[in-house]
């Protein structure tokens, strides 16, 4: 089996390729505009500011956000999550936070630092060990009078498991506890409606499903919450410059310093591409790819039968198309994840990501952590992640490659492991 084109299956890290219009928009800004938004009254500065506002409007349309001014540009999802977490944290008061065992280090590490300084207590709600999905009632039971927020990853970057955010959001709204949602792997892939899902703070990347460049992201804030969400940074905004305190107006309150204008303009073009096609059409295409992948890794048509997988292969997370996004982490018995990724690249030009994917508790849940496998080398999984420019034929090629590796390794494990 051979193929000239290198197939990119690492869209969970960052999407590639980008729509051509993303690069065109960035080049146009760099070559003919160039001004810093909000830092001048001349035409170029005004136009740069208008283009940033256009991006906010497009994001508000995509996410059904009630106001474009409540969309705060950040460096990435991690930056947005830090603003949400530290913004809701209250110094010198009891602080309790709730997360799940599927969360990314972007949530776990800020919380663990606060906990290490005896500033916060946290509850890590368990999930189903097979699907990685949380029971919303477990979150309800974990809420305490001093709970500052609940933080939940919408779709796992390890297993693709989709959490029941609307149900969790309804519980949090009923209990008057803010809900932070990490949408790094869901926005741009499946519909996300911040109002229907009762999301208070939505952290999103610009460079993944939204198809923009690296260094872009946003935090969507429910109107009214800005009155209690503390700032993480302060500085110049180009507005109210006569005052030496941070303005309360949005979005300036949370956007000190000069913007990554070239990146945000590229992001705006990516969001426009999605809106033109509709998120429903994008999701339908991804579901087709998901079904193709699931069928390709099964040795017969019984998609829900774990015994029907290719020899030695294990898939982390749900078998149901409705319960997952296009993130597939797999292991092959006796074959370290990094070795499997190397074989996929060297023999088939398929690009994947091996390791623990910055989600150690998720790998503990799926028993793929170093403590369960016996070493760091054998821990983790090899991840395939889908994007809108992949085709069913590309996915079939990838699962055929997996099938060949599994069959060869099953026949001669020592040879396969040492090649």
């Amino acid at each position: 089996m051979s193929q000239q084109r290198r197939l990119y299956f690492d869209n969970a890290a960052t999407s590639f390729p980008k729509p051509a219009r993303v690069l065109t928009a960035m080049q146009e800004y760099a070559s003919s505009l160039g001004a810093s938004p909000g830092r001048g009254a001349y035409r170029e500065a005004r136009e740069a500011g208008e283009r940033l506002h256009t991006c906010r409007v497009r994001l508000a349309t995509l996410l059904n956000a009630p106001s474009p001014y409540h969309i705060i540009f950040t460096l990435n999802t991690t930056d947005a999550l830090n603003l949400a977490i530290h913004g809701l944290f209250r110094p010198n008061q009891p602080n309790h936070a709730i997360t799940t065992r599927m969360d990314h280090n972007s949530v776990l590490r800020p919380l663990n630092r606060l906990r290490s300084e005896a500033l916060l207590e946290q509850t890590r709600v368990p999930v189903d060990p097979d699907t990685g999905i949380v029971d919303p009632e477990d979150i309800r039971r974990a809420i305490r009078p001093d709970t500052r927020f609940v933080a939940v990853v919408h779709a796992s970057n390890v297993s693709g498991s989709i959490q029941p955010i609307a149900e969790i959001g309804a519980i949090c709204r009923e209990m008057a506890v803010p809900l932070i949602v990490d949408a790094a792997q869901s926005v741009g892939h499946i519909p996300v409606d911040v109002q229907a899902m009762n999301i208070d703070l939505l952290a999103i990347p610009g460079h993944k499903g939204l198809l923009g460049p690296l260094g872009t992201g946003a935090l969507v804030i429910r109107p009214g919450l800005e009155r209690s969400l503390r700032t993480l940074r302060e500085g110049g905004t180009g507005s109210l410059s006569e005052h030496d305190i941070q303005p309360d107006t949005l979005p300036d309150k949370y956007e000190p310093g000069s913007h990554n204008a070239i990146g945000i303009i590229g992001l705006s073009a990516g969001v426009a591409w999605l809106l033109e096609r509709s998120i429903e059409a994008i999701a339908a295409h991804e579901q087709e790819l998901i079904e193709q992948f699931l069928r390709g890794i099964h040795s017969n048509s019984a998609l829900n039968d774990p015994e029907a997988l290719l020899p030695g292969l294990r898939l982390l997370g749900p078998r149901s198309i409705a319960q997952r996004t296009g993130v597939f982490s797999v292991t092959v018995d006796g074959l370290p994840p990094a070795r499997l990724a190397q074989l996929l690249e060297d023999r088939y030009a398929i690009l994947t990501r091996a390791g623990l994917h910055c989600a150690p508790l998720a790998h503990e849940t799926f028993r793929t952590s170093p403590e369960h496998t016996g070493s760091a080398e054998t821990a983790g999984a090899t991840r395939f992640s889908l994007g809108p420019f992949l085709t069913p034929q590309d996915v079939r090629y990838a699962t055929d490659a997996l099938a060949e590796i599994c069959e060869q390794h099953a026949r001669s494990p020592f040879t396969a492991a040492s090649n």
Side-chain angles (χ1 to χ4, degrees):
M1 183 186 298
S2 63
Q3 182 163 312
Q4 294 297 317
R5 182 163 68 103
R6 288 168 67 79
L7 282 174
Y8 186 81
F9 277 87
D10 196 21
N11 290 279
T14 193
S15 56
F16 181 80
K18 312 290 185 183
R21 66 172 62 182
V22 172
L23 181 58
T24 299
M26 296 172 71
Q27 288 177 324
E28 181 190 3
Y29 167 80
S31 61
S32 64
L33 204 56
S36 180
R39 299 305 196 273
Y42 51 92
R43 178 180 59 80
E44 289 84 352
R46 293 198 310 272
E47 185 174 341
E50 289 167 3
R51 293 193 187 188
L52 262 62
H53 184 69
T54 295
C55 185
R56 296 186 210 272
V57 170
R58 288 170 174 169
L59 285 168
T61 301
L62 181 71
L63 302 168
N64 192 29
S67 164
Y69 297 101
H70 284 72
I71 293 174
I72 307 303
F73 292 128
T74 62
L75 298 173
N76 42 49
T77 316
T78 300
D79 191 35
L81 287 167
N82 271 269
L83 173 54
I85 290 168
H86 289 283
L88 291 176
F89 167 77
R90 288 291 173 268
N92 305 316
Q93 294 183 31
N95 288 278
H96 172 248
I98 298 170
T99 61
T100 79
R101 293 185 65 81
M102 296 304 292
D103 278 288
H104 189 274
N105 277 338
S106 298
V107 167
L108 301 180
R109 287 179 173 177
L111 292 183
N112 284 335
R113 185 180 74 81
L114 292 171
R115 185 181 63 172
S116 72
E117 297 173 356
L119 299 173
L120 176 142
E121 295 181 4
Q122 62 174 302
T123 299
R124 298 168 175 173
V125 177
V127 297
D128 183 283
D130 294 320
T131 65
I133 296 175
V134 69
D135 181 348
E137 290 302 316
D138 286 342
I139 290 179
R140 181 195 295 276
R141 286 186 282 270
I143 293 175
R144 305 179 346 192
D146 61 346
T147 300
R148 292 291 171 197
F149 57 83
V150 173
V152 180
V153 62
H154 191 185
S156 169
N157 71 317
V158 173
S159 63
S161 312
I162 299 174
Q163 303 297 344
I165 293 298
E167 292 89 338
I168 295 169
I171 290 170
C172 289
R173 193 62 53 88
E174 175 192 340
M175 305 291 284
V177 175
L179 173 63
I180 301 171
V181 174
D182 171 0
Q185 302 299 336
S186 59
V187 71
H189 294 275
I190 59 177
V192 177
D193 185 323
V194 295
Q195 296 189 73
M197 292 176 164
N198 293 306
I199 297 171
D200 296 289
L201 293 156
L202 182 77
I204 60 175
H207 65 102
K208 297 187 182 185
L210 297 181
L211 305 173
L214 287 157
T216 58
L219 181 68
V220 185
I221 302 174
R222 175 175 59 81
L225 197 59
E226 70 273 13
R227 290 192 289 271
S228 58
L229 185 72
R230 299 184 308 128
T231 56
L232 195 61
R233 294 183 290 267
E234 296 80 29
T237 59
S239 60
L240 299 175
S241 296
E242 67 274 20
H243 300 299
D244 59 2
I245 60 172
Q246 195 72 6
D248 284 332
T249 54
L250 295 187
D252 291 0
K253 180 177 181 179
Y254 303 106
E255 292 183 4
S258 299
H259 292 86
N260 175 16
I262 191 169
I264 294 168
I265 287 168
L267 167 61
S268 185
V271 177
W273 188 90
L274 290 171
L275 288 171
E276 286 178 9
R277 283 151 183 80
S278 85
I279 193 62
E280 290 76 17
I282 296 293
H285 173 69
E286 184 155 312
Q287 283 196 324
E288 182 183 8
L289 300 184
I290 291 170
E291 183 174 8
Q292 177 66 57
F293 193 97
L294 288 172
R295 292 197 179 281
I297 63 170
H298 281 75
S299 54
N300 60 44
S301 60
L303 297 187
N304 290 317
D305 180 4
E307 302 301 322
L309 289 179
L310 297 168
L313 187 74
R314 181 188 173 204
L315 172 67
L316 307 188
R319 305 290 194 276
S320 167
I321 296 173
Q323 291 182 304
R324 64 155 49 251
T325 56
V327 174
F328 298 93
S329 292
V330 300
T331 64
V332 175
D333 287 347
L335 195 59
R339 180 61 181 139
L340 174 57
Q342 183 181 348
L343 289 173
L344 287 164
E345 180 181 4
D346 292 348
R347 295 183 184 176
Y348 308 97
I350 294 170
L351 311 182
T352 60
R353 181 182 173 189
L356 294 169
H357 311 105
C358 301
L361 299 186
H363 280 282
E364 284 184 15
T365 296
F366 293 121
R367 301 182 68 81
T368 46
S369 65
E371 291 76 16
H372 290 101
T373 67
S375 71
E377 181 186 7
T378 56
T382 306
R383 185 181 70 189
F384 295 75
S385 47
L386 309 179
F389 295 104
L390 288 169
T391 67
Q393 292 73 28
D394 295 332
V395 174
R396 176 64 183 270
Y397 175 81
T399 55
D400 283 351
L402 259 182
E404 282 191 5
I405 291 172
C406 287
E407 290 167 6
Q408 293 167 2
H409 190 68
R411 288 197 303 268
S412 181
F414 177 80
T415 301
S418 59
N419 275 352

